[in-house]
C-alpha cells in the first residue's frame, strides 16, 4: 500500500458486567460494499474478488479486527499476530491455488508448527481448548455486520473458526440458476436493485439501502426486465444467535470527516469460555488490532504489535472503570497506536536461522523490545521482494568480481 503505517486511537472502559472498546481511524472515504451480484451482458455475475491490493472497482468493505488473549497463548503477548501466520499461507507469493484454505492457526496445534497438515489429534485439540489455548477474535465489518449493530465473533485455534450459533449473513447467490435468491422490496426500499454506476468506486447513494436484510427481502423475480448494471448484494444479513451474537456495536459505526468511529461492547463473561475469553477485574490481557481500509483486500491490511490491557491493574493501557450503562468517553484515556503493513512475514521465517533475530525469539524477547512499527513495515516490504533483492545482490556480486578480475587482467597486460 502507498502508506506503510496508519494511526488508530483506542479507548477502553468497563463496568461490573460489560467492556467497551472505542476505535477511531482515518479513511479517505467509507467503503461499505462487498460481494455484489451484477447484471451484465444479459446475465447475472458475481462481483466477488479479493485481489491482493486495492480492488479496482472499490468494492471491498472497511473492516476492523481485534485478537484478545488472557495469557493462555504466551507467544501472542510477545509477538502478536505473527504467531498465527504459517508458511505458504493463502495469497502469499508462490503459495499456489492449493493454499486457498490455509488461514490463521496457532503453533502448538501442529506437530510441526511450520507444516500445515501436521495437525495434532482431536483429543489434544480439545484439551488445548479447555486450557484456553485459543485467541478470541472480534471482527467488525462495514457491510456484513455494522448494519445489524454487531461485530462477528470468531476465534483462532487450529484454524480461524466461527463461534457457534447462527451467522450474521448467508449467500444470496443461487449457483444452480446463476442468479440471486433475494432482492430488495420495491415498496419498502423504493428499489428492486442498486445501480453499478452508483456503487462503483465505493460510492454510496445515501437515499438508497446498501445492504439486504432477510426480514425485508423478497424472493428474486427472474421475469423482471433487468437492466445492464443492476446490482443486488451478494449476502443477506440476518440476526445472529448463540456465541455469534455476543459483540454489539454501541450506537452505530460511523464515518464522518475522514474518520471511522466504532464502539464495540461485550459482556465480560459471555458464558462461552471455549470460544470467548472471560475478562475479569484485576486481569491483564493482550490485544492486537488489524484494519482494512481504502478498498484494499486480502493481506493489504495494517496490524498492531500486541498491547497489554489492564482492568484495574497496571498495564500499557489501563481500562477506565465506570458505573452506569455507558462510559463518559471524555474521561477515558486514549491510546494512540501505530498499525503497520506486515508484508509476507511468516512465523516459520521469524523462528528460522534466516532471521537474524531468531535467537531473541528463542529466548522469548518481545518484538517491541527490538523493533518499532516503521522498522517492521520496512522489513515486511523487504521480505515481499526477498527474491528480487537476493537476485540483484547476486548479480551485483558477480559484476563486482568480474570488474576486479578485468582490472587485474588489465594491469597484467600493462606490465
Amino acid at each position: 500500500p502507498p502508506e506503510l503505517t496508519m494511526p488508530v486511537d483506542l479507548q477502553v472502559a468497563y463496568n461490573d458486567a460489560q467492556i467497551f472498546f472505542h476505535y477511531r481511524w482515518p479513511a479517505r472515504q467509507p467503503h461499505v460494499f462487498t460481494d455484489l451480484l451484477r447484471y451484465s451482458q444479459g446475465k447475472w455475475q458475481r462481483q466477488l474478488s479479493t485481489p491482493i491490493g486495492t480492488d479496482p472497482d472499490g468494492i471491498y468493505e472497511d473492516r476492523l479486527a481485534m485478537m484478545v488473549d488472557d495469557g493462555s497463548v504466551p507467544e501472542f503477548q510477545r509477538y502478536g499476530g505473527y504467531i498465527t501466520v504459517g508458511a505458504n499461507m493463502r495469497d502469499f507469493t508462490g503459495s499456489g491455488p492449493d493454499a486457498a484454505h490455509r488461514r490463521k492457526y496457532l503453533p502448538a496445534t501442529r506437530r510441526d508448527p511450520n507444516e500445515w497438515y501436521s495437525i495434532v489429534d482431536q483429543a489434544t485439540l480439545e484439551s488445548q481448548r479447555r486450557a484456553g489455548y485459543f485467541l478470541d477474535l472480534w471482527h467488525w465489518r462495514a457491510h456484513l455486520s455494522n448494519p445489524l449493530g454487531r461485530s462477528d465473533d470468531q476465534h483462532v485455534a487450529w484454524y480461524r473458526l466461527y463461534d457457534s450459533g447462527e451467522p450474521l449473513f448467508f449467500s444470496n447467490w443461487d449457483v444452480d440458476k446463476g442468479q440471486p435468491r433475494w432482492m430488495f422490496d420495491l415498496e419498502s426500499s423504493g428499489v428492486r436493485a442498486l445501480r453499478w454506476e452508483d456503487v462503483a468506486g465505493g460510492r454510496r447513494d445515501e437515499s438508497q439501502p446498501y445492504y439486504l436484510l432477510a426480514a425485508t427481502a423478497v424472493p428474486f423475480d427472474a421475469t423482471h426486465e433487468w437492466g445492464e448494471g443492476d446490482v443486488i448484494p451478494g449476502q443477506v444479513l440476518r440476526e445472529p444467535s448463540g456465541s455469534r451474537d455476543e459483540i454489539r456495536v454501541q450506537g452505530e459505526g460511523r464515518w464522518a470527516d475522514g474518520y471511522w468511529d466504532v464502539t464495540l461492547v461485550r459482556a465480560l463473561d459471555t458464558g462461552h469460555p471455549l470460544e470467548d475469553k472471560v475478562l475479569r477485574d484485576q486481569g491483564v490481557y493482550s490485544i492486537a488490532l488489524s484494519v482494512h481500509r481504502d478498498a484494499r483486500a486480502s493481506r493489504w491490511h495494517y496490524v498492531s504489535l500486541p498491547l497489554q490491557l489492564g482492568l484495574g491493574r497496571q498495564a500499557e493501557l489501563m481500562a477506565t472503570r465506570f458505573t452506569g450503562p455507558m462510559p463518559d468517553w471524555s474521561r477515558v484515556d486514549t491510546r494512540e497506536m501505530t498499525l503497520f503493513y506486515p508484508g509476507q512475514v511468516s512465523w516459520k521465517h521469524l523462528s528460522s536461522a534466516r532471521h537474524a533475530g531468531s535467537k531473541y525469539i528463542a529466548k522469548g524477547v518481545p518484538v517491541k523490545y527490538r523493533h518499532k512499527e516503521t522498522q517492521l513495515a520496512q522489513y515486511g516490504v523487504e521480505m515481499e521482494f526477498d527474491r528480487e533483492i537476493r537476485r540483484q545482490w547476486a548479480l551485483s556480486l558477480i559484476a563486482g568480481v568480474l570488474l576486479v578480475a578485468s582490472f587485474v587482467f588489465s594491469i597484467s597486460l600493462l606490465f
Side-chain angles (χ1 to χ4, degrees):
E3 308 90 10
L4 294 182
T5 62
M6 65 166 286
V8 173
D9 288 344
L10 174 65
Q11 296 174 287
V12 186
Y14 71 106
N15 57 19
D16 290 335
Q18 296 178 308
I19 188 165
F20 295 73
F21 289 84
H22 177 241
Y23 317 85
R24 178 177 171 85
W25 70 93
R28 294 182 181 88
Q29 69 178 84
H31 285 85
V32 297
F33 292 106
T34 196
D35 189 5
L36 297 179
L37 310 179
R38 178 184 178 186
Y39 191 77
S40 179
Q41 300 179 354
K43 62 180 181 179
W44 285 95
Q45 302 176 25
R46 195 171 187 185
Q47 199 76 23
L48 175 63
S49 63
T50 53
I52 299 172
T54 302
D55 186 276
D57 298 315
I59 306 300
Y60 194 76
E61 63 182 341
D62 291 336
R63 295 192 285 152
L64 177 138
M66 179 177 70
M67 289 188 285
V68 184
D69 182 49
D70 57 1
S72 301
V73 187
E75 307 98 332
F76 178 73
Q77 62 184 310
R78 296 193 288 267
Y79 309 110
Y82 280 124
I83 70 167
T84 69
V85 183
N88 297 319
M89 297 292 281
R90 67 172 188 169
D91 298 331
F92 271 31
T93 300
S95 60
D98 61 327
H101 63 285
R102 295 180 185 173
R103 308 188 75 180
K104 292 180 173 63
Y105 67 88
L106 297 182
T109 63
R110 300 302 194 269
R111 294 187 299 275
D112 178 353
N114 301 318
E115 174 52 51
W116 169 264
Y117 293 103
S118 65
I119 303 173
V120 300
D121 60 87
Q122 187 63 35
T124 301
L125 290 177
E126 292 176 358
S127 296
Q128 289 178 348
R129 182 69 65 84
R130 290 192 296 271
Y133 190 68
F134 68 92
L135 298 175
D136 198 352
L137 178 58
W138 302 25
H139 190 190
W140 174 89
R141 309 176 70 155
H143 183 110
L144 296 181
S145 74
N146 194 52
L148 294 172
R150 304 292 201 284
S151 168
D152 205 355
D153 202 349
Q154 305 170 24
H155 58 282
V156 179
W158 69 271
Y159 195 65
R160 179 172 173 172
L161 302 164
Y162 291 107
D163 284 13
S164 57
E166 290 292 333
L168 290 79
F169 50 87
F170 59 90
S171 177
N172 190 29
W173 181 242
D174 190 323
V175 177
D176 296 331
K177 296 181 180 179
Q179 65 183 31
R181 290 191 172 98
W182 304 89
M183 65 181 189
F184 292 107
D185 179 18
L186 181 62
E187 291 187 9
S188 61
S189 63
V191 294
R192 289 187 176 86
L194 306 176
R195 295 291 304 161
W196 178 253
E197 58 266 24
D198 294 331
V199 303
R203 293 186 296 272
R204 176 191 166 195
D205 185 344
E206 296 288 343
S207 65
Q208 295 181 340
Y210 67 93
Y211 54 88
L212 195 58
L213 284 175
T216 58
V218 296
F220 178 75
D221 183 3
T223 64
H224 178 72
E225 188 174 340
W226 298 101
E228 180 74 19
D230 281 342
V231 171
I232 294 176
Q235 299 289 335
V236 182
L237 308 187
R238 65 178 171 193
E239 293 294 322
S241 67
S243 187
R244 293 287 289 273
D245 191 28
E246 296 296 344
I247 307 172
R248 304 298 179 100
V249 178
Q250 185 65 39
E252 179 186 3
R254 299 183 181 88
W255 180 91
D257 301 324
Y259 284 87
W260 274 107
D261 280 280
V262 177
T263 301
L264 302 182
V265 56
R266 198 206 77 175
L268 294 173
D269 184 352
T270 66
H272 303 281
L274 300 183
E275 297 176 328
D276 298 327
K277 294 292 182 177
V278 179
L279 307 178
R280 297 181 175 90
D281 191 26
Q282 297 301 308
V284 175
Y285 305 91
S286 296
I287 63 174
L289 310 182
S290 71
V291 168
H292 281 84
R293 63 174 184 175
D294 300 328
R296 294 175 190 153
S298 185
R299 56 178 172 76
W300 270 34
H301 64 327
Y302 300 88
V303 303
S304 78
L305 292 177
L307 177 74
Q308 274 197 340
L309 173 68
L311 274 61
R313 281 177 60 194
Q314 191 64 40
E316 292 175 295
L317 173 62
M318 292 188 62
T320 299
R321 188 176 179 90
F322 70 97
T323 57
M326 278 287 296
D328 179 357
W329 292 111
S330 66
R331 297 176 177 269
V332 178
D333 290 340
T334 299
R335 174 78 179 205
E336 297 180 0
M337 302 180 67
T338 298
L339 275 58
F340 61 94
Y341 173 66
Q344 301 183 63
V345 181
S346 69
W347 186 239
K348 177 181 180 180
H349 169 77
L350 291 176
S351 55
S352 71
R354 285 190 62 194
H355 175 217
S358 60
K359 58 178 180 271
Y360 298 105
I361 289 179
K363 295 177 181 178
V365 178
V367 62
K368 65 180 63 177
Y369 293 171
R370 301 289 303 174
H371 297 292
K372 299 296 184 184
E373 291 85 355
T374 51
Q375 291 176 308
L376 291 169
Q378 187 62 44
Y379 184 59
V381 172
E382 290 175 1
M383 283 302 302
E384 191 142 357
F385 294 96
D386 182 60
R387 294 179 183 177
E388 291 82 355
I389 291 172
R390 289 176 178 273
R391 186 184 303 118
Q392 189 64 44
W393 179 86
L395 291 173
S396 299
L397 179 62
I398 292 170
V401 171
L402 291 175
L403 181 62
V404 171
S406 64
F407 177 75
V408 172
F409 182 71
S410 300
I411 292 298
S412 300
L413 290 178
L414 180 61
F415 278 108

